[in-house]
Amino acid sequence: MSLLRAAGLLRPFLAVARTGNLSAAARELAITQPALTKSVRKLERQFGVALFERKSRGMALTPSGTALLAHARAIEAHCRVADSELDARARGETGSIRLGAGTYWGNTVMPQAVAALQQQLPGLEVTLEVGVYAAILARLFAGELDLVVGALPELVALPAGIERRDFMRIHLRVVAGTQHPLHRRTRVSAAELARYPWVLYQHDRDVLDKLAAAMRRDGAPEPRVSVETSSLLAVMELLRSGPYLACVADAFLRASPDLGVAPVRYLREIWTFPSGALFHSSLRDFPPIRSLLELVSRRSAAPVERAATRARR
């Protein structure tokens, strides 16, 4: 059975895979549940395999369904780009892209790159979601985003149809407002860090877990998170206004040197990781994605270059 001939049945298949529930998938597609079930069964008959099995909490993919899912997502992404490009040509515009970014990238490099991209392609429509990278990454893998920039996952192999572009390594630092008492210390211990309240951005468990592990290695209790916020501006304002501590990417500090916050002298490494872009392979030659990758690559080196220039002065 040709997958191309069954392409019209992939949308119902993807909806059930995404929601794990026939009723929710039917609502998403604005069709009846019997019609949805009929489409899924027709796809299974055409391939001669079961794609789902019914569980107590909904529908679960079989191994055959899992194998099809990666290809179906790639086809969906490619069709979306084709629709966008053809529609843009009909209207004399340049289409749309959906982007995601982690904290550092979404608050520094990506807005600059998007602005430069829209100077090249004035009719381009852009959606940019900024948040905890694990959530953004899941949306890319689900086919809901075209490209994301942030921490690169520690995977032996990426899902089928996903490509990787490395840009730089990120180091997390413990930071405080410049008025904080810990800045008077030439060396800060984990026990001293544990005495102060912490601010956590968007309930980022990865950062909190890495920080807690570093402090435990030094025999200190885990950090006491006093404030969680979805606003990076609020994190910075809290650091400037009180005795709070937070973990921030060193690249963010280099890109925004006048925030009134600085790293404290805690020598234990919190977390160092590769950072870059992940995107659907089908979009590799789509002009907005190709241009965006070039812009982000150039801008990712700028904070490092500025920091080196300041150090030489």
Side-chain angles (χ1 to χ4, degrees):
M1 173 65 196
S2 167
L3 181 57
L4 183 60
R5 289 173 57 192
L9 300 173
L10 293 181
R11 189 163 175 254
F13 166 76
L14 284 166
V16 177
R18 185 161 44 243
T19 62
N21 182 278
L22 288 170
S23 298
R27 286 195 300 271
E28 180 181 300
L29 298 175
I31 61 176
T32 65
Q33 185 171 325
L36 174 67
T37 301
K38 182 178 178 181
S39 294
V40 172
R41 287 177 177 169
K42 183 177 180 181
L43 185 64
E44 290 179 323
R45 285 197 304 272
Q46 289 184 351
F47 282 105
V49 295
L51 300 173
F52 295 98
E53 57 179 327
R54 191 178 293 273
K55 300 282 190 179
S56 58
R57 295 186 178 180
M59 304 290 284
L61 287 165
T62 63
S64 295
T66 301
L68 177 60
L69 180 62
H71 299 290
R73 285 173 171 170
I75 291 170
E76 181 186 42
H78 200 84
C79 288
R80 185 173 63 249
V81 170
D83 289 344
S84 177
E85 189 167 0
L86 290 172
D87 183 58
R89 287 180 181 276
R91 293 184 286 117
E93 298 178 0
T94 48
S96 63
I97 52 175
R98 298 181 296 183
L99 311 174
T103 307
Y104 160 65
W105 295 95
N107 289 279
T108 55
V109 174
M110 284 296 279
Q112 299 166 8
V114 167
L117 181 64
Q118 288 189 318
Q119 288 180 359
Q120 299 176 13
L121 305 170
L124 181 69
E125 297 178 359
V126 177
T127 300
L128 174 61
E129 298 188 21
V130 180
V132 173
Y133 194 62
I136 295 293
L137 195 60
R139 297 201 61 204
L140 173 76
F141 293 162
E144 297 168 5
L145 295 174
D146 301 318
L147 175 147
V148 300
V149 184
L152 293 171
E154 297 176 358
L155 300 176
V156 176
L158 290 170
I162 299 294
E163 289 193 23
R164 165 177 172 152
R165 180 77 59 84
D166 288 60
F167 290 139
M168 61 190 294
R169 291 194 69 81
I170 297 287
H171 305 266
L172 284 187
R173 307 294 186 199
V174 177
V175 301
T178 52
Q179 83 296 336
H180 199 285
L182 287 182
H183 285 303
R184 296 195 289 268
R185 303 279 295 163
T186 58
R187 183 167 181 169
V188 175
S189 68
E192 289 173 302
L193 296 181
R195 296 183 191 132
Y196 291 95
W198 286 76
V199 181
L200 186 64
Y201 175 65
Q202 290 200 350
H203 195 66
D204 194 334
R205 291 302 314 181
D206 286 339
V207 170
L208 186 59
D209 290 346
K210 299 291 185 181
L211 173 63
M215 293 176 67
R216 283 197 302 269
R217 287 195 293 270
D218 286 337
E222 295 188 1
R224 174 171 52 90
V225 177
S226 295
V227 181
E228 290 187 21
T229 177
S230 60
S231 167
L232 188 60
L233 288 176
V235 173
M236 296 298 112
E237 188 60 36
L238 284 161
L239 293 174
R240 290 190 293 265
S241 302
Y244 301 98
L245 301 173
C247 271
V248 173
D250 58 348
F252 180 74
L253 300 176
R254 291 195 299 267
S256 309
D258 302 320
L259 286 173
V261 303
V264 302
R265 296 178 180 86
Y266 176 60
L267 302 184
R268 169 80 71 176
E269 182 175 277
I270 304 299
W271 190 17
T272 298
F273 51 86
S275 188
L278 295 175
F279 55 96
H280 293 280
S281 302
S282 60
L283 306 183
R284 183 193 311 113
D285 296 321
F286 185 44
I289 294 295
R290 188 173 62 242
S291 296
L292 181 68
L293 287 168
E294 294 172 358
L295 289 165
V296 173
S297 179
R298 290 201 298 268
R299 280 163 172 74
S300 65
V304 178
E305 293 170 357
R306 287 197 296 269
T309 299
R310 287 195 297 270
R312 288 194 295 267
R313 290 175 180 171

